[in-house]
Each structure stands twice: as C-alpha cells, then as structure tokens.
C-alpha cells in the first residue's frame, strides 16, 4: 500500500442533488426481482453449469417465486443457446414467468438471441453497451456520439426483429453498462435516446437498468445517481427503473436498498451474492431484510437450508456459515451471555406479539431452522445456553443452582476436548451427573400405604451387598422415604443432612406425560447442596428417584473429598 492513496485513487464525485428525498423514505413493498444466477452468476464460476444443472437451478428459482429469470447469454455459447431452446421446447417455463436473455450491441449477437427465443410466450431481451469514460477511451476508442449511436442503432434492430415474431410478448431492456462511473448527463442522454427508439407506453413499458458494474462509491452516492435519473428519464411512467449493484466495496445490499428508496422498482442479483469478482447483490439478504421489517418480499425462503444446499451443489461454491439468514451458524450463539438472553427472550415471546428475542433478528423457524440449532455449546458457553438446550431438546427445567454447577462441568469437558458439544452429548453428560448415578444405591421398587394418619413406605434398594428393604414413615411419600434413608446410618449421610428443596414439573403433555422431579440434600449451615433428578410417568417415583440420585452424589462427594457435599 502506498503512503498517500489520494495520489493514485480519486473519490467518486458527488451528485448535485441538494433536495434528495431518499433519506426520508421507508421501504414498504418488494421490488420486481430478477435472478441472474443462470447468466451473470454462471459466468463467474470455475466451471459453468451444464444444461441439467441449470434446469435444476431454474426450477428452484421458479419454486422460490421469481417471475423474471435471466437464463442465458445465448449468443455467447452453443450450450447457452441450447438451454434456452430446451426451456421453450420442453415447456419448462410457467405461464407467469418471463425468461430473459442478454446481448451486446452487435447485430449478429442480437439476431442470434432472437433466434434462441423463437416460440417463447414472453421474453425480455437485454441490450447493453459500456458508456463510462475509461471504457469509451481506453477499451473501445469511441466518442460519446459513437457510443450513443451504437445503442440507438441496435435498439432499433431489436424493435424490428421483435416485430417479425409477434407471437411472443416482448419486453426490451437497456443497460448503460458501467453506469455508476458514467457522467450522469451522458448516461441520461443515451437512455433517453434508446427510450425514444422503443416508444414504450405505460401499458407496455421498457426496462432501463442502471448497473454498478464496478461498485465505485458509497451507497449514498449510488442512491443519488438513481434518484437523479429517476427524475430526469423521459417517459418515466413507461419505464421500469432497475438496478444491478455489484459488491466490489462490500456494499451492494445497502446500495440496492437505498436505490429502491431513490426510485428504483426492480433489482437484478443472485442468490447468496454469487457473481464476478466480489459478486452481485445478494437477493437472499436483500429479500430477508425486507421480511425482517414486516414487508413480505414475494419470495419464499421458508426452506432456506434446502435452497442453500441446492445452490452449493449447482455452483460448486459454499454458502459461508456466517452468511446472513442462510449460514449454518447465523442463528447460533456460543457466548454464555448471548445464550442466556436468547433463552429468556424465547421464554417471554408470545405468538401474538411482535418478535423481540435478543440476538435473533427474525424467528429462525420462518426460514426452516429448528430452535435446537440456535444455541450450541463450547467452552465459551454459559448456563443460559446449556439450560436452553436441555429445555428445548428434552423438556427439562433445571434449577438455577444446578445450572451454575452443571455449566462448570460442561466447560471442563469442552475445554479438555477443545471442541463443541452436541445436544446429545450434553444430554448424556447431564444424565450421568443427575439422573443415572447407580452407585452406591439403586431403587428397585417401592410400595406406599397409609396407616394411622401417616404415609408408610417400603423401598427395595440394591447396593454393593445386594438387595435391602428399607422402611420409613412420614407426612408424605418423600418424607417417609427420607426417614427410611436416615434409619440406615449410611456413610456420608449423617444426621446434619436435610432434604432442603423439592420441585417438579411436567416434561410432556397428554395421558402418558412424564414428570421431572428435583431434590436437594444439604448439611446444616452449608449453602451448597447436592441435587438429584428423576423422570418418570409417576410423580412419586420421579421424586424418589431424584432423592436417591441426590443421595448418591452426596455420598460420592463425601468419599472423594473428605465429607464435603458437591
């Protein structure tokens, strides 16, 4: 990099538009969408798609809801020509979809394009020629008058060829290629000359497409250019104003959004931003941005993962895991504070209220993403995310003190392995700590009965010495069971241990629903107790299982660290 880039590069000139209106506008409706994946996107690939792959992609675009699809550059290759013929002759084009082809301002290429489209019910023919100073002087060696004449002569040829095929409903499109670096008065002069040649009407409009062929300015400058053209184009009511932003500065989505505020009615782009150099404008992001503001884009991305996988297979390029709305990780939180905020937001969200879950700009389910994928656990995760996964995957509600305790267990495992833990691994780890401690005691069976106003219990317990029968009585099943435990004088469970806390909740709904119970055992004067959990269709059984789990954890802790409860 040079010390003073101003010596080498010049800032894009501003537009004299002091009364610009676009900054105060709000987008309230979707534009006309035109997918150029099969043409502009296809030209950018290491290996262009074959006809079978292009047909698969075309059908996906139709399913998503695109009504205008640029399918080929038929004069550029026999493969593209044959693909256009295949679409027409095999009847792949729905009645409400218009295909588009592109052609340079050359007579032989234009004639070839019309030949490819013969018999199409509806078609857009897109004519372009470069208009910017560098292209005029360096690439083509042409004056402004010659560039304008080139556009007008070939626009007239298109008009005449279309008249020879009246069975097709033709729409004409013109792009002053490199518009964003063309002097605005000259761009307007060429566009108006083409419009005059085509003589459009409000009932049969033409498309004037203003591409940022190379993104060379901040999005606000592009918006000013679009608003200036919007105000000055001839026969404006007979013109559909279109934009085609590229992403050289990484601002194509912003440029397209501001351009729509500035008067554009149509956007050309590719799914996931594929295209030459840094790509075309990303239609997925642009459309979903509208959706997140309460405007339906008219495109269906409710099965985003399937669309992403299909695109990846067709173009042999990956969708980045952090790609907005579509990446595998865009709804995923690893950070503990983020996970906690998401968990609380999901719990507070009501179906009839506006979406306002922290860190999630849209409901992941709207694009087919399950809630299980929102929170994933690694060494950076906290109790909130771990709790959320247990709740969403298994329906288990975890007491706060257990959340803190178990998050430390998870962090230790994640740190040791240096990796993410899956939901199934997390569940198994939780079960091993709180639900499936089988030593030193297991409850094999129990029987309850009432006598003399007390609850009596007989518990069949399995220990290292075999089965034993414990008896106890109390004010209820759990109290009776705890009295049975205390009568055994078990190592690690002395008379200072009390049953301090108990909670329960339903895990599932219906006649066969299960219940989850939590029991905390603690010694007098100790803030930290020992928790155990039980899950069973019978609430009493779940409670007794939880008590035995808490007891086993306390005994294990006493044996390992000199009598301190876990």
């Amino acid at each position: 990099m040079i010390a003073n880039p101003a010596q080498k590069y010049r800032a894009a000139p501003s537009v004299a538009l002091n009364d610009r209106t676009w900054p105060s506008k709000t987008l309230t409706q979707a534009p006309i969408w035109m997918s150029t994946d099969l043409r502009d996107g296809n030209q950018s690939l290491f290996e262009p798609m074959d006809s079978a792959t292009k047909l698969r992609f075309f059908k996906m675009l139709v399913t998503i809801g695109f009504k205008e699809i640029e399918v080929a550059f038929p004069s550029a290759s026999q493969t593209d020509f044959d693909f256009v013929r295949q679409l027409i002759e095999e009847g792949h084009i729905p009645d409400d979809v218009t295909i588009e082809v592109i052609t340079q301002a050359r007579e032989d290429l234009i004639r070839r394009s019309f030949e490819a489209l013969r018999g199409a019910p509806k078609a857009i023919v897109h004519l372009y020629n470069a208009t910017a100073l560098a292209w005029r002087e360096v690439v083509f060696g042409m004056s402004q008058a010659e560039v304008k004449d080139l556009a007008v002569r070939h626009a007239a040829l298109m008009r005449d060829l279309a008249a020879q095929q009246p069975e097709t409903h033709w729409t004409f499109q013109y792009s002053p290629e490199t518009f964003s670096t063309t002097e605005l008065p000259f761009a307007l002069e060429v566009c108006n000359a083409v419009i005059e040649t085509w003589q459009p009407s409000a009932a049969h409009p033409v498309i004037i497409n203003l591409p940022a062929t190379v993104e060379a300015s901040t999005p606000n400058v592009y918006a000013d250019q679009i608003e200036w053209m919007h105000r000055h184009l001839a026969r404006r009511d007979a013109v559909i104003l279109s934009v085609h932003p590229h992403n050289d500065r990484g601002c194509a989505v912003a440029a397209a959004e501001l351009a729509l505020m500035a008067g554009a009615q149509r956007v050309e782009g590719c799914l996931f931003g594929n295209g030459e150099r840094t790509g075309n404008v990303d239609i997925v992001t642009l459309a979903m941005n509208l959706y997140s503001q309460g405007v339906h884009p008219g495109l269906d991305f409710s099965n985003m993962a399937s669309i992403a996988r299909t695109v990846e297979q067709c173009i042999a390029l990956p969708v980045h895991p952090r790609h907005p709305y579509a990446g595998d990780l865009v709804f995923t939180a690893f950070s503990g504070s983020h996970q906690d905020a998401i968990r609380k937001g999901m719990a507070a969200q009501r179906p009839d209220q506006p979406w306002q879950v922290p860190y999630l700009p849209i409901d992941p389910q709207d694009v087919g993403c399950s809630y299980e994928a929102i929170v994933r656990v690694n060494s950076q995760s906290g109790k909130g995310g771990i709790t959320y996964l247990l709740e969403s995957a298994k329906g288990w509600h975890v007491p706060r003190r257990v959340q803190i305790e178990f998050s430390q267990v998870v962090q230790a495992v994640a740190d040791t392995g240096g990796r993410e833990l899956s939901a199934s691994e997390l569940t198994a780890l939780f079960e091993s700590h709180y639900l499936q401690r089988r030593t030193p005691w297991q409850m094999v069976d129990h029987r309850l009965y009432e006598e003399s106003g007390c609850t009596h219990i007989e518990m069949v317990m399995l220990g290292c010495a075999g089965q034993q029968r414990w008896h106890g009585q109390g004010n209820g099943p759990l109290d009776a069971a705890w009295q049975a435990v205390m009568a055994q004088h078990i190592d690690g469970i002395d008379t200072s241990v009390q049953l301090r806390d108990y909670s329960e909740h339903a895990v599932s709904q219906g006649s066969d629903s299960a219940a989850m119970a939590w029991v905390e055992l603690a010694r007098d004067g100790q803030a930290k107790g020992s928790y155990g959990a039980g899950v069973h269709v019978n609430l009493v059984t779940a409670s007794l299982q939880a008590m035995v789990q808490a007891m086993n954890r306390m005994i294990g802790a006493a044996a390992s660290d000199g009598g301190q409860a876990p």
Side-chain angles (χ1 to χ4, degrees):
M1 298 177 67
I2 63 176
N4 183 10
Q7 295 177 342
K8 187 172 185 178
Y9 302 103
R10 288 172 293 184
S14 60
V15 179
L17 197 68
N18 294 329
D19 59 342
R20 59 182 60 83
T21 63
W22 62 262
S24 62
K25 298 289 181 64
T26 299
L27 297 179
T28 59
Q29 65 181 30
I32 299 167
W33 302 107
M34 202 285 289
S35 163
T36 187
D37 290 271
L38 299 178
R39 197 278 302 172
D40 199 344
N42 190 49
Q43 289 178 199
S44 71
L45 301 178
F46 298 111
E47 295 185 9
M49 291 178 273
D50 60 22
S51 59
T53 304
K54 288 187 76 170
L55 183 58
R56 180 187 179 193
F57 207 125
F58 177 83
K59 290 181 176 180
M60 179 186 65
L61 292 171
V62 169
T63 300
I64 291 170
F66 284 93
K67 303 305 179 186
E68 295 183 1
I69 302 172
E70 189 173 46
V71 295
F73 199 147
S75 61
S77 73
Q78 189 64 41
T79 299
D80 270 17
F81 184 94
D82 291 343
F83 179 65
V84 178
R85 297 309 309 155
Q86 179 183 8
L87 290 176
I88 297 168
E89 293 171 3
E90 295 180 5
H92 293 297
I93 308 168
D95 293 340
D96 61 347
V97 172
T98 302
I99 61 171
E100 175 174 326
V101 301
I102 192 170
T103 177
Q104 293 168 309
R106 277 177 44 187
E107 180 175 349
D108 58 329
L109 303 184
I110 293 171
R111 290 185 180 279
R112 180 70 167 165
S113 298
F114 274 87
E115 182 183 350
L117 289 167
R118 185 172 298 278
K122 296 181 294 185
I124 300 170
V125 182
H126 180 184
L127 173 71
Y128 75 94
N129 67 311
T131 56
L133 178 64
W135 275 259
R136 297 195 310 261
E137 293 186 349
V138 177
V139 181
F140 299 115
M142 299 175 71
S143 66
Q144 285 190 352
E146 290 172 319
V147 168
K148 176 182 172 182
D149 178 68
L150 185 72
V152 170
R153 282 190 293 107
H154 291 92
L157 175 62
M158 283 175 51
R159 179 197 60 203
D160 296 342
L161 291 174
Q164 297 172 19
Q165 297 184 41
E167 69 278 7
T168 297
H169 183 278
W170 298 102
T171 299
F172 299 146
Q173 175 173 332
Y174 174 68
S175 290
E177 192 194 11
T178 65
F179 161 78
S180 58
T181 52
T182 299
E183 308 94 314
L184 277 177
F186 180 58
L188 178 68
E189 181 182 345
V190 177
C191 288
N192 280 344
V194 170
I195 292 170
E196 182 64 24
T197 302
W198 282 337
Q199 292 288 303
S201 65
H204 193 182
V206 297
I207 300 167
I208 296 296
N209 185 57
L210 304 177
T213 308
V214 177
E215 187 179 35
S217 69
T218 52
N220 62 300
V221 173
Y222 185 58
D224 281 349
Q225 292 174 323
I226 299 303
E227 182 163 344
W228 192 90
M229 292 291 287
H230 166 60
R231 294 184 186 186
H232 292 91
L233 280 170
R235 301 177 184 250
R236 184 64 185 88
D237 64 335
V239 171
I240 297 171
L241 184 55
S242 176
V243 292
H244 183 123
H246 276 251
N247 200 44
D248 300 88
R249 302 179 78 254
C251 300
V253 169
E257 289 178 328
L258 299 188
L260 290 172
M261 295 175 188
Q265 301 153 281
R266 180 178 182 267
V267 175
E268 298 187 350
C270 291
L271 297 180
F272 308 115
N274 181 44
E276 293 182 273
R277 303 183 310 280
T278 55
N280 293 292
V281 69
D282 180 342
I283 286 185
V284 170
T285 300
L286 195 58
M288 292 306 302
N289 281 356
L290 281 173
Y291 183 81
S292 73
Q293 301 301 300
V295 179
H296 199 290
L299 300 175
D300 183 4
F301 293 113
S302 58
N303 195 354
M304 188 71 81
S306 176
I307 293 170
R309 299 296 84 77
T310 299
V311 171
E312 288 176 332
Q313 292 163 13
C314 288
I315 70 175
L317 289 172
V319 173
H320 196 280
R322 299 292 183 186
H323 191 289
Y325 303 105
D328 291 339
L329 296 178
V330 295
F331 298 118
T332 300
F334 289 103
S335 162
S337 61
H338 291 199
Q339 292 174 340
D340 187 58
I342 290 172
R343 182 179 68 86
K344 292 174 179 175
M346 293 292 290
Q349 183 66 41
R350 297 292 177 264
D352 58 342
Q353 295 296 317
W355 181 259
Q356 50 181 0
V357 176
Y359 297 110
L360 297 179
I362 66 167
D363 184 347
Q365 285 194 333
D366 289 353
V367 290
C369 182
S370 67
Y371 289 143
E372 285 75 8
I374 296 174
V375 173
R376 290 161 66 171
V377 173
N378 63 15
S379 61
Q380 302 301 308
S381 304
K383 64 183 187 305
I386 294 165
T387 302
Y388 177 82
L389 279 181
L390 292 173
E391 289 178 357
S392 60
K394 304 293 288 188
W396 296 342
H397 301 309
V398 182
R400 179 172 176 78
R401 287 197 292 272
V402 179
Q403 295 175 23
I404 297 170
E405 177 182 275
F406 186 57
S407 68
Q408 296 169 351
V409 173
V410 172
Q411 188 173 46
V413 173
D415 270 333
T416 301
R419 62 182 181 85
E420 175 188 346
L421 271 66
S422 68
S424 60
E425 288 175 312
L426 187 70
T427 299
L429 188 62
F430 180 86
E431 289 175 338
S432 69
H433 273 73
Y434 298 101
L435 282 167
Q436 296 178 354
R437 292 243 178 174
R438 306 194 187 283
T439 56
W441 298 103
Q442 295 181 55
M443 185 179 69
V444 179
D445 197 6
H446 72 276
R447 183 174 71 87
L448 291 168
Y449 59 93
E450 299 290 326
E451 187 176 284
S452 303
C454 291
T455 300
H456 293 256
I457 190 168
E458 180 180 294
M459 302 168 64
V460 180
M461 303 296 293
L462 178 63
C464 59
Q467 285 192 1
Q468 299 180 16
R469 291 184 180 271
W470 298 356
H471 299 270
Q473 65 181 52
N475 295 325
L478 195 57
D479 184 44
W482 182 241
Q483 297 306 320
V485 171
M486 296 302 292
Q488 307 309 308
H489 305 291
I490 300 170
D491 288 343
I493 306 290
D494 57 40
T495 56
S496 69
V497 178
Q498 297 179 354
L499 196 156
R500 184 163 68 183
D501 191 24
Y502 169 78
S503 63
E504 63 189 49
H505 67 85
V507 173
S508 56
Q509 303 294 323
S511 59
D512 59 346
S513 62
M516 185 174 212
W518 284 94
V519 167
E520 182 188 16
L521 301 179
R523 287 184 169 83
D524 290 340
Q526 285 192 339
K528 186 177 180 182
S530 174
Y531 272 93
V535 177
H536 199 273
V537 292
N538 182 285
L539 179 56
V540 171
T541 302
S543 303
L544 299 178
Q545 289 176 344
M547 184 197 71
V548 173
Q549 292 295 310
M551 183 178 72
N552 283 343
R553 296 189 72 240
M554 178 169 278
I555 295 169
S560 63
D561 59 20
Q564 296 299 309

